[in-house]
Amino acid sequence: MSTIHPFDPLTPREIAKAAIITKREFHGTNLNFRVITLKEPPKGEMIPFLEKEHQGQPPTPRPSRAARVQVIARGPSGSNDLIEIIVDLDNDSVLEKKPLLGKHSYIDSAYMQAVEKACRADSRVQAEIQKLKLPPGATVVIEAWAYATDGMNDMSERTTMCWFYMRLLENEDANYYAYPLDICAEVSEKLEVTKIYYLPSSENERVRENAQPYDDRKIHSPELSEYHPSLRPEPRTTTKPYQVIQPEGPSFKVDGNHLSWEKWTMRVGFNYREGLTLHDLRYDGRNLFYRLSLSEMFVPYGDPRSPYPRKAAFDLGNDGAGINANNLQLGCDCLGLIKYFDGWHNTASGEPLKLPNVVCCHEQDDGILWKHTNFRTQNAVVTRSRILVLQTIITVSNYEYIFAFHFGQDASIHYEVRATGILSTAPINIGDKVGYGTVVAPGVLAPYHQHLFSLRIDPAIDGMANSLQVEESHAMPVNNPNIHNPSGVGYSTKSQIITEESGHDLDHSKNRTFKIINENKTNPITGTPVGFKLLPCYSQLLLAHGDSYHAKRSEFGQHAVWVTRYEDDELFPAGRYTMQSMGGEGIASAIERRKQEGTSWVRNEDIVVWHTFGSTHNPRIEDWPVMPVEKMVVGLKPVNFFLGNPGLDVAVSTQEKNRSVLVEGGSAKDCCRL
Amino acid sequence: MSTIHPFDPLTPREIAKAAIITKREFHGTNLNFRVITLKEPPKGEMIPFLEKEHQGQPPTPRPSRAARVQVIARGPSGSNDLIEIIVDLDNDSVLEKKPLLGKHSYIDSAYMQAVEKACRADSRVQAEIQKLKLPPGATVVIEAWAYATDGMNDMSERTTMCWFYMRLLENEDANYYAYPLDICAEVSEKLEVTKIYYLPSSENERVRENAQPYDDRKIHSPELSEYHPSLRPEPRTTTKPYQVIQPEGPSFKVDGNHLSWEKWTMRVGFNYREGLTLHDLRYDGRNLFYRLSLSEMFVPYGDPRSPYPRKAAFDLGNDGAGINANNLQLGCDCLGLIKYFDGWHNTASGEPLKLPNVVCCHEQDDGILWKHTNFRTQNAVVTRSRILVLQTIITVSNYEYIFAFHFGQDASIHYEVRATGILSTAPINIGDKVGYGTVVAPGVLAPYHQHLFSLRIDPAIDGMANSLQVEESHAMPVNNPNIHNPSGVGYSTKSQIITEESGHDLDHSKNRTFKIINENKTNPITGTPVGFKLLPCYSQLLLAHGDSYHAKRSEFGQHAVWVTRYEDDELFPAGRYTMQSMGGEGIASAIERRKQEGTSWVRNEDIVVWHTFGSTHNPRIEDWPVMPVEKMVVGLKPVNFFLGNPGLDVAVSTQEKNRSVLVEGGSAKDCCRL
């Protein structure tokens, strides 16, 4: 165990050990292990540890290894109680044990399958399906979704929504989202169907008494709606192969979870909820970020008609970016020389479960990094930009998200999100339109919805005491005797350092820039504090009304940039327990609480910056039946942190190394150079 | 001549011919040929031509070939008169001849060299240089700049500003911008030094009586400011080679200037001013854009102190993106299989002048295009995204710009601008700071400035009659008895079709979206007009005061999105003649004029959309001595134009084709697969 780093995810052995200690604690009660994950060490212990580690001194004492375990145990009254145990893995002991009253664990796929089965077996559901008079050969597909709070149910027990689709073709990869059925069902904790709804099929329809039978409806041809190659005509053949070779191997080095590349060093983490996390990021030995992670994601749908307000997913809190991470395939998900990282989770009975190839690490050429031609000498100097990509892809029912950190040789970081997959659909009368959705195939409505992400940035800009500075560019006044601006062309920056925990909005019209600075470290040349700036992704914030459950549950959607004091374990801006949450557990509530306590000072403190971004996704038909990626990018760049361009020492580009090939008239020539 | 397409740039033979016809017209007067370029054919003639061409019918009649020629001729009074001649190349005749009274041609590098020489030879300049007491071995470098109007000079003749620097090292590639001198000079049309200025060296200094001698100043070490590899320590060696191979050749086909790739077809154009232009862009045979081009670029500096308001460059109108296009080098500026296009310009005496390799065309892998995993079958389908890149790079004195159109298999277009090169600098007292610049090296101020680009989009969305639709996403009201929104989560779109020529601003907080639609063509499935949407680059607009010359001269900087009626030859949103322009010649003035004429109706008309974007560039020290690229991206995407994802037929990714290589622990293994 001595080679395990405090930031390393739990090893399989540690997972097994945590399960044994937990089972012992429960004296043989039958447990459903939902979570066995690293309880990250307190920052207060990590800072001296990392300091010594980077100075090459023996990094002792090592913070103890601890596991956060969550189990569902059958309670005395037959209830399913969620209980959290903190296990000290160094001392084989239980540090904490607390029932999570009123909280629900993230989606339990075994339970969801049981819900689906129970729903399908229900005689009223069967009768409703009969009444739909589906075409011969159609298979009903039931998709269980976490219930988004709408205030209509008691939230103390789990409630699950079942949405119905049909698969017209025998092929199990046929796109059943293309045929949403008119009914949906609500299922209780005890696997009873408590309600069946008829879905509205036009804008003005509010309550339906019955579903429409299918035998008098036109069913559109699968040709418009299938994406699986086995159900498509032959693909285009015009795309010629494109390969990446690195004859001398990759430029990165991996040692366990420690990654080094082009002056960057960091540690790769992974957990069931956030998926990929990054720790202790440094450039050329200088401390930049203590931790970077996607901290939450909220996908509320904009269709106001009941029961659609129940469609609103916290894809991290409810589903888990780690658990749903794809097993990435060589040559498909990543191109070139690929290093994969595996993740570890646990089975329901507490055994370690390998999640293979959940993160891929590779390099990409990124065009030109910098260039200048001296027009007097005509000498051009050009360097190409190489980036290091750490990518993970998740599938959450119909949707896919591709998350990637891009590291640059110029000390920049870009976080790219690509949304793809299949739109969530609802039925609509043929010929009808609604104001909150797009008809993507006859009878198929793709409702408007938003994707709101929260990128959690735990900075360590030359140390832990950092501040958030908001800078704007403003025209200088004219005709002001105290200000010299005779031609009216002057402009300057105005900046403010945020003193209290708070949320802020973007304003490109003022070039509003958010800088994370260290006021204790002055750049010796510019004379200003060293810093990194956020290059935000300009996005609309949450549209749901402030009083709605959607808004109360996703407080981070109120503002684009939040700054808070660092607190151990405060990782989730919509709260730790998002399943059927009622609101009041998010970042705004935490700030409000600390304001009242008088502990919300954030200037020159250990702070965390959270960036809310995403897209208001009003579907295009071009997003159907599978969506070309929609990219969103957030950046972090040094601003007066170094003494000059950090990529100045990147070697100039040469044909000798890059071996490009000249093309004439569309066919390759001069290939002998390869 | 029969194989020349009307959109083809003038051929060398046509350039020579235009010069001969022009010389004949001037009866032997000594002419300085500034421009011999294609006068693009009237759209009214091109539409029937293209229609027949695309239907495979003989495309007759072919619009006649014409050249726009501009010469400087010595006038009777010894003045240099700029005269424009339109030459009919089919009929060897002059169609038009008009003196361009009060207008100036773009920068004449021979003349600028003469200015530099005259300035250097001037005895007062020499005396001022002596007074500076430069260190031994220093070489004075004089950089001539176009004079940005500040209202202090009569603009009827050319005025040139000379900025002074020194080169400390013998090496001619040493970065002289690192040592800006305290003086500058103004030079007249007749090459006389009309004024010498002492540059201010602190914030409060308004008028200086003398320059500071250098012998009592600390001169910073070149180590902080050199970028040329011959002046740098050995570069980092950690970056391993990365090569792209396409064993079956590129996926594109080139026939003259006609380019086809993955369902895209287009014609590549090039001229001295805009550089790369694209014409007749179609996807899968459907008409999308008649013409795409970067139409202008304005770089005003924000330092209010005289004479700095004279620093404001129209990099297209004053300098020319075509003339200043780099001769791109295989393996350096572009990676992989590269097709180069040459451009043609003319010499001062009217001979054709080849501008080699000014555009590179190549493919890039762009990560994942779409992916979905059916969680029930665990079958994943993933396609990689290939893009076609058309790239051109320009050098404008200190700065470089990399312009690239990226075409996607999903019918998207992205226009990417990267700014790089060297910051323009000014002297500053050591230890001083100002509110409108960054000290990037001791004694070196990099003043704040803006880069404002105008992308001209001449749409042809399924035909020429198009409209601009502005759509926003708004929360639906709550507690309104006429609107069904019981949970407060509903939102819908509101849209407006623009009827009159006008400028509009961005608002991400409303998800404001600009769509170019064809109201005459309804998507049969969505029931809405077919369209393309603009994915804008969120940027601050012009900061200079509305009454300033900067603002009057760069009207396009007032708004982010403009819509105008199409007019032949209306290509430049700051006017055709930007050199020493006085304002009133830009897009806002054209709109105002047509509003008064009652001809500004733009709904369901042949329209042009102009997007203003850029950056407020408040330099970081990391931009010194050469700037890592700063990227700006604008997109165009189909919105309810097709019947589904246009990239649905892209073949799925396979390792067989992509040949990726597994890396373990940082060294390549399994290379045998290559």
Side-chain angles (χ1 to χ4, degrees):
Chain A
M1 205 128 138
S2 62
T3 62
I4 298 176
H5 190 275
F7 285 138
D8 281 343
L10 292 188
T11 62
R13 190 185 293 255
E14 288 176 317
I15 291 170
K17 190 175 178 184
I20 289 165
I21 297 169
T22 304
K23 282 179 193 166
R24 198 174 61 199
E25 179 73 18
F26 280 86
H27 312 291
T29 312
N30 197 17
L31 298 177
N32 173 357
F33 281 89
R34 302 291 299 132
V35 173
I36 304 179
T37 194
L38 177 70
K39 178 172 160 52
E40 292 182 18
K43 203 190 250 189
E45 294 178 26
M46 280 308 292
I47 292 171
F49 177 90
L50 294 173
E51 223 161 82
K52 286 194 178 171
E53 185 186 27
H54 285 279
Q55 287 164 358
Q57 293 171 22
T60 50
R62 199 204 63 182
S64 65
R65 294 286 284 175
R68 181 189 303 276
V69 180
Q70 288 174 2
V71 294
I72 296 178
R74 180 69 70 169
S77 62
S79 64
N80 286 322
D81 298 332
L82 185 66
I83 300 163
E84 181 170 279
I85 304 97
I86 306 295
V87 174
D88 179 335
L89 291 164
D90 287 346
N91 300 301
D92 293 17
S93 63
V94 169
L95 296 173
E96 257 185 74
K97 178 181 177 184
K98 62 173 178 201
L100 299 169
L101 296 174
K103 305 298 185 194
H104 299 285
S105 181
Y106 70 94
I107 286 172
D108 180 341
S109 58
Y111 178 76
M112 289 308 226
Q113 279 167 32
V115 167
E116 187 185 320
K117 200 173 155 195
C119 181
R120 190 185 296 275
D122 183 88
S123 58
R124 285 158 309 159
V125 167
Q126 278 301 328
E128 290 300 336
I129 291 174
Q130 285 307 316
K131 284 197 255 166
L132 287 172
K133 295 187 188 162
L134 301 182
T139 307
V140 172
V141 180
I142 300 177
E143 200 125 311
W145 273 47
Y147 176 101
T149 315
D150 66 353
M152 293 172 72
N153 280 35
D154 169 20
M155 293 290 101
S156 63
E157 293 209 321
R158 277 187 289 196
T159 305
T160 307
M161 294 299 293
C162 286
W163 307 94
F164 288 63
Y165 304 89
M166 70 177 165
R167 182 155 54 69
L168 275 185
L169 307 174
E170 255 187 57
N171 188 317
E172 287 191 34
D173 282 310
N175 179 12
Y176 53 84
Y177 300 111
Y179 304 98
L181 300 183
D182 284 6
I183 55 172
C184 85
E186 183 187 294
V187 178
S188 72
E189 172 75 50
K190 295 182 185 64
L191 301 176
E192 283 161 3
V193 174
T194 44
K195 201 156 180 181
I196 294 175
Y197 293 87
Y198 304 111
L199 298 177
S201 56
S202 72
E203 182 151 280
N204 297 318
E205 202 169 42
R206 305 215 174 153
V207 181
R208 261 179 92 85
E209 300 296 326
N210 268 301
Q212 267 186 92
Y214 263 78
D215 57 358
D216 60 355
R217 279 202 260 177
K218 234 176 143 172
I219 291 176
H220 78 275
S221 150
E223 199 188 315
L224 289 169
S225 292
E226 296 301 344
Y227 72 94
H228 196 275
S230 63
L231 296 166
R232 300 286 320 162
E234 284 300 303
R236 60 173 88 172
T237 55
T238 45
T239 325
K240 304 287 184 228
Y242 180 105
Q243 297 156 7
V244 166
I245 61 171
Q246 290 189 261
E248 298 177 21
S251 317
F252 55 80
K253 284 211 183 74
V254 178
D255 177 11
N257 294 307
H258 185 266
L259 179 59
S260 57
W261 176 82
E262 294 288 277
K263 299 190 178 175
W264 283 99
T265 57
M266 67 193 78
R267 290 189 176 270
V268 177
F270 189 87
N271 66 62
Y272 77 104
R273 179 166 176 153
E274 297 157 284
L276 175 62
T277 57
L278 296 174
H279 307 262
D280 192 24
L281 298 100
R282 295 175 191 235
Y283 186 92
D284 210 9
R286 279 176 76 183
N287 210 345
L288 299 183
F289 299 97
Y290 183 77
R291 193 181 195 274
L292 293 176
S293 56
L294 181 70
S295 62
E296 193 48 275
M297 174 179 167
F298 186 49
V299 187
Y301 283 77
D303 190 332
R305 298 170 302 174
S306 183
Y308 293 126
R310 294 182 178 185
K311 279 175 76 173
F314 287 95
D315 282 348
L316 266 62
N318 293 3
D319 294 84
I323 285 174
N324 291 292
N326 291 190
N327 178 346
L328 302 175
Q329 298 300 309
L330 193 69
C332 300
D333 295 302
C334 320
L335 184 72
L337 268 67
I338 316 295
K339 157 73 188 173
Y340 290 105
F341 289 89
D342 296 327
W344 286 92
H345 185 51
N346 55 277
T347 64
S349 53
E351 277 88 48
L353 176 71
K354 189 176 184 173
L355 305 175
N357 288 10
V358 285
V359 173
C360 74
C361 168
H362 66 279
E363 291 175 87
Q364 284 177 14
D365 178 83
D366 183 44
I368 289 171
L369 176 62
W370 54 264
K371 178 172 189 178
H372 183 59
T373 304
N374 182 326
F375 74 90
R376 294 170 194 275
T377 62
Q378 286 301 318
N379 290 330
V381 183
V382 54
T383 64
R384 295 195 71 77
S385 170
R386 185 73 56 80
I387 58 173
L388 181 77
V389 179
L390 285 167
Q391 176 177 276
T392 184
I393 306 180
I394 68 170
T395 298
V396 192
S397 300
N398 51 302
Y399 262 121
E400 261 75 16
Y401 300 96
I402 303 169
F403 301 114
F405 286 97
H406 293 187
F407 293 89
Q409 292 164 308
D410 60 349
S412 65
I413 301 177
H414 289 88
Y415 183 66
E416 186 198 78
V417 177
R418 299 185 181 204
T420 178
I422 302 183
L423 294 162
S424 185
T425 57
I428 186 168
N429 287 337
I430 290 187
D432 270 21
K433 286 195 223 177
V434 294
Y436 30 74
T438 306
V439 176
V440 292
V444 186
L445 180 71
Y448 295 170
H449 57 281
Q450 295 189 283
H451 301 261
L452 291 168
F453 303 89
S454 171
L455 181 68
R456 183 177 182 278
I457 302 160
D458 183 351
I461 305 300
D462 257 356
M464 294 299 150
N466 288 177
S467 305
L468 182 69
Q469 183 181 33
V470 186
E471 187 184 270
E472 296 182 347
S473 293
H474 287 273
M476 290 167 64
V478 285
N479 301 324
N480 178 330
N482 299 317
I483 290 168
H484 183 62
N485 185 20
S487 302
V489 307
Y491 79 86
S492 59
T493 46
K494 290 183 185 171
S495 80
Q496 187 201 351
I497 292 175
I498 306 301
T499 55
E500 276 216 286
E501 292 189 323
S502 43
H504 301 268
D505 293 323
L506 306 178
D507 189 347
H508 65 272
S509 75
K510 300 188 170 72
N511 195 41
R512 187 177 292 163
T513 304
F514 292 87
K515 294 182 183 175
I516 303 165
I517 59 170
N518 186 328
E519 296 187 71
N520 315 297
K521 303 282 167 75
T522 299
N523 186 302
I525 293 173
T526 64
T528 55
V530 299
F532 259 65
K533 68 177 170 182
L534 176 72
L535 307 173
C537 175
Y538 287 93
S539 336
Q540 187 170 38
L541 295 169
L542 185 75
L543 276 160
H545 195 274
D547 289 339
S548 67
Y549 278 101
H550 284 10
K552 288 187 208 162
R553 299 174 72 212
S554 63
E555 294 176 348
F556 70 95
Q558 293 167 24
H559 293 291
V561 179
W562 298 84
V563 56
T564 60
R565 272 175 93 93
Y566 173 85
E567 297 269 351
D568 283 332
D569 287 339
E570 190 174 78
L571 296 169
F572 310 118
R576 187 173 285 273
Y577 306 97
T578 59
M579 284 287 275
Q580 301 185 190
S581 60
M582 299 291 285
E585 296 168 52
I587 189 168
S589 298
I591 290 176
E592 193 47 44
R593 200 168 50 242
R594 289 196 286 258
K595 274 204 174 137
Q596 282 172 14
E597 288 168 2
T599 58
S600 69
W601 183 258
V602 287
R603 182 168 183 172
N604 207 15
E605 293 284 344
D606 186 3
I607 60 170
V608 177
V609 175
W610 316 67
H611 178 36
T612 307
F613 67 98
S615 81
T616 294
H617 186 190
N618 304 338
R620 314 173 292 156
I621 194 170
E622 286 81 5
D623 296 335
W624 186 256
V626 65
M627 184 180 155
V629 292
E630 180 161 341
K631 288 187 205 177
M632 290 149 274
V633 180
V634 176
L636 290 163
K637 276 193 180 181
V639 56
N640 302 331
F641 184 81
F642 295 100
L643 296 182
N645 177 354
L648 186 61
D649 65 337
V650 174
V652 298
S653 289
T654 62
Q655 168 65 357
E656 189 197 343
K657 280 200 176 167
N658 294 328
R659 306 221 173 182
S660 290
V661 176
L662 204 60
V663 171
E664 277 305 330
S667 65
K669 116 176 169 179
D670 202 8
C671 279
C672 56
R673 294 204 206 179
L674 283 172
Chain B
M1 207 129 136
S2 63
T3 62
I4 297 176
H5 190 275
F7 285 137
D8 281 343
L10 292 188
T11 63
R13 190 186 292 255
E14 288 177 319
I15 291 170
K17 190 176 179 183
I20 289 166
I21 296 169
T22 304
K23 283 178 190 165
R24 199 173 61 200
E25 181 72 18
F26 280 86
H27 312 290
T29 312
N30 197 17
L31 298 177
N32 173 356
F33 281 89
R34 301 290 300 130
V35 172
I36 304 179
T37 194
L38 178 68
K39 179 173 159 51
E40 291 183 19
K43 203 190 251 190
E45 295 177 28
M46 280 309 292
I47 292 171
F49 177 89
L50 294 172
E51 221 163 82
K52 285 191 178 171
E53 184 186 29
H54 284 279
Q55 287 163 0
Q57 293 171 24
T60 51
R62 199 204 63 181
S64 64
R65 294 286 283 176
R68 179 188 304 275
V69 180
Q70 289 175 2
V71 292
I72 296 178
R74 180 68 68 168
S77 63
S79 65
N80 286 323
D81 299 333
L82 185 66
I83 301 165
E84 180 170 278
I85 305 98
I86 305 296
V87 174
D88 179 335
L89 292 164
D90 288 346
N91 298 302
D92 293 15
S93 62
V94 169
L95 296 172
E96 260 184 73
K97 179 180 176 183
K98 59 171 182 207
L100 298 170
L101 296 173
K103 307 296 185 193
H104 299 284
S105 181
Y106 68 95
I107 286 171
D108 181 341
S109 57
Y111 177 76
M112 290 306 228
Q113 279 167 31
V115 167
E116 186 184 322
K117 202 174 153 193
C119 182
R120 191 184 296 275
D122 183 88
S123 59
R124 285 158 307 159
V125 167
Q126 279 300 328
E128 289 300 336
I129 291 174
Q130 287 306 317
K131 284 197 254 166
L132 287 172
K133 297 187 186 162
L134 301 182
T139 308
V140 172
V141 180
I142 299 178
E143 199 125 311
W145 272 48
Y147 176 101
T149 314
D150 65 352
M152 293 172 73
N153 279 36
D154 169 20
M155 292 290 102
S156 63
E157 293 208 322
R158 278 186 288 196
T159 304
T160 306
M161 294 299 293
C162 285
W163 307 93
F164 288 62
Y165 304 88
M166 70 176 164
R167 184 154 53 68
L168 275 185
L169 306 175
E170 255 187 58
N171 188 318
E172 288 192 33
D173 283 310
N175 180 13
Y176 52 85
Y177 300 112
Y179 302 98
L181 301 183
D182 284 4
I183 54 170
C184 85
E186 182 186 294
V187 179
S188 72
E189 173 75 50
K190 296 183 184 63
L191 301 176
E192 285 161 0
V193 173
T194 44
K195 200 157 182 181
I196 293 175
Y197 293 87
Y198 304 111
L199 297 176
S201 58
S202 72
E203 182 152 279
N204 298 319
E205 201 169 43
R206 305 212 174 155
V207 180
R208 262 180 90 83
E209 301 297 327
N210 269 300
Q212 267 186 94
Y214 263 78
D215 58 357
D216 60 356
R217 278 203 260 179
K218 231 175 144 175
I219 292 177
H220 77 275
S221 150
E223 198 188 315
L224 289 168
S225 293
E226 296 301 344
Y227 72 95
H228 197 276
S230 63
L231 297 166
R232 299 288 320 163
E234 284 301 302
R236 61 172 88 173
T237 54
T238 45
T239 324
K240 304 288 182 227
Y242 180 106
Q243 297 156 7
V244 166
I245 61 170
Q246 293 189 258
E248 298 176 21
S251 316
F252 55 80
K253 284 209 183 76
V254 178
D255 178 12
N257 293 307
H258 185 267
L259 179 58
S260 58
W261 175 81
E262 295 289 276
K263 298 190 177 175
W264 284 99
T265 57
M266 69 194 77
R267 289 188 177 273
V268 177
F270 189 87
N271 64 63
Y272 78 103
R273 178 167 176 152
E274 297 158 283
L276 176 62
T277 57
L278 296 174
H279 306 262
D280 193 23
L281 298 100
R282 294 174 192 236
Y283 186 92
D284 211 9
R286 280 175 77 182
N287 209 345
L288 299 183
F289 299 97
Y290 184 78
R291 193 179 195 276
L292 292 176
S293 56
L294 181 69
S295 63
E296 194 48 274
M297 176 178 165
F298 185 48
V299 187
Y301 284 76
D303 190 330
R305 299 170 301 174
S306 186
Y308 293 125
R310 295 182 178 185
K311 279 177 75 173
F314 287 96
D315 283 347
L316 267 61
N318 293 5
D319 294 84
I323 285 173
N324 292 294
N326 291 189
N327 178 346
L328 302 175
Q329 298 300 311
L330 193 69
C332 300
D333 296 300
C334 321
L335 184 71
L337 268 67
I338 316 295
K339 156 76 187 170
Y340 289 105
F341 289 89
D342 295 328
W344 285 93
H345 184 51
N346 56 278
T347 64
S349 53
E351 277 90 50
L353 176 71
K354 189 175 183 172
L355 305 174
N357 289 10
V358 284
V359 174
C360 73
C361 169
H362 66 279
E363 291 176 87
Q364 284 177 13
D365 178 83
D366 182 44
I368 289 172
L369 177 62
W370 54 263
K371 178 172 188 177
H372 184 59
T373 304
N374 181 325
F375 73 89
R376 293 168 194 277
T377 63
Q378 286 300 319
N379 289 329
V381 183
V382 53
T383 64
R384 293 195 73 76
S385 171
R386 184 73 56 81
I387 58 173
L388 181 77
V389 179
L390 285 167
Q391 178 178 275
T392 185
I393 305 179
I394 68 170
T395 299
V396 191
S397 300
N398 51 301
Y399 261 122
E400 262 73 17
Y401 300 96
I402 303 169
F403 301 115
F405 286 97
H406 292 186
F407 293 89
Q409 291 164 308
D410 61 349
S412 65
I413 302 176
H414 289 88
Y415 183 66
E416 188 198 76
V417 177
R418 298 185 182 203
T420 178
I422 302 183
L423 294 162
S424 185
T425 56
I428 185 167
N429 286 337
I430 291 186
D432 270 22
K433 285 194 224 178
V434 294
Y436 30 74
T438 306
V439 175
V440 292
V444 185
L445 180 70
Y448 294 171
H449 57 281
Q450 296 189 282
H451 301 262
L452 290 167
F453 303 89
S454 172
L455 181 67
R456 183 178 181 276
I457 302 159
D458 183 351
I461 304 300
D462 258 357
M464 295 298 150
N466 287 177
S467 305
L468 182 69
Q469 183 180 35
V470 186
E471 188 183 271
E472 297 182 348
S473 294
H474 287 274
M476 290 167 65
V478 285
N479 301 324
N480 177 329
N482 299 316
I483 289 167
H484 183 63
N485 186 20
S487 302
V489 306
Y491 80 86
S492 58
T493 46
K494 291 181 185 172
S495 79
Q496 186 201 353
I497 293 176
I498 306 301
T499 56
E500 278 216 286
E501 291 189 324
S502 43
H504 302 268
D505 293 323
L506 306 179
D507 189 347
H508 65 271
S509 74
K510 300 187 170 71
N511 195 40
R512 188 179 292 163
T513 305
F514 293 87
K515 295 182 182 176
I516 304 165
I517 59 170
N518 186 328
E519 295 188 71
N520 315 295
K521 302 281 168 74
T522 300
N523 185 304
I525 293 173
T526 63
T528 54
V530 299
F532 259 65
K533 68 176 170 183
L534 176 72
L535 306 174
C537 175
Y538 288 92
S539 336
Q540 187 170 37
L541 294 169
L542 185 76
L543 276 161
H545 195 273
D547 288 338
S548 67
Y549 278 102
H550 283 10
K552 289 187 207 162
R553 298 174 73 211
S554 64
E555 295 177 349
F556 70 94
Q558 293 167 24
H559 293 292
V561 179
W562 298 85
V563 55
T564 60
R565 274 175 91 93
Y566 173 85
E567 300 268 352
D568 283 332
D569 287 338
E570 190 174 81
L571 296 169
F572 309 119
R576 187 172 285 274
Y577 306 98
T578 58
M579 284 286 277
Q580 301 185 193
S581 59
M582 298 291 285
E585 296 168 52
I587 189 168
S589 298
I591 290 175
E592 193 49 43
R593 200 167 53 242
R594 288 196 287 258
K595 274 204 174 136
Q596 283 171 16
E597 287 166 5
T599 58
S600 69
W601 184 258
V602 287
R603 182 167 182 172
N604 206 14
E605 294 284 344
D606 187 2
I607 60 170
V608 177
V609 175
W610 317 67
H611 178 37
T612 307
F613 66 98
S615 80
T616 294
H617 186 188
N618 304 339
R620 312 175 291 158
I621 195 171
E622 286 80 6
D623 297 335
W624 186 257
V626 65
M627 185 181 155
V629 292
E630 180 160 341
K631 289 187 203 176
M632 290 149 272
V633 181
V634 175
L636 290 163
K637 275 194 179 181
V639 56
N640 303 329
F641 184 83
F642 295 100
L643 297 182
N645 177 353
L648 186 60
D649 64 336
V650 174
V652 298
S653 287
T654 62
Q655 168 64 356
E656 190 196 343
K657 282 200 175 167
N658 294 329
R659 306 222 174 180
S660 289
V661 176
L662 204 61
V663 172
E664 278 305 332
S667 64
K669 112 176 175 182
D670 202 8
C671 279
C672 55
R673 296 204 204 179
L674 283 172

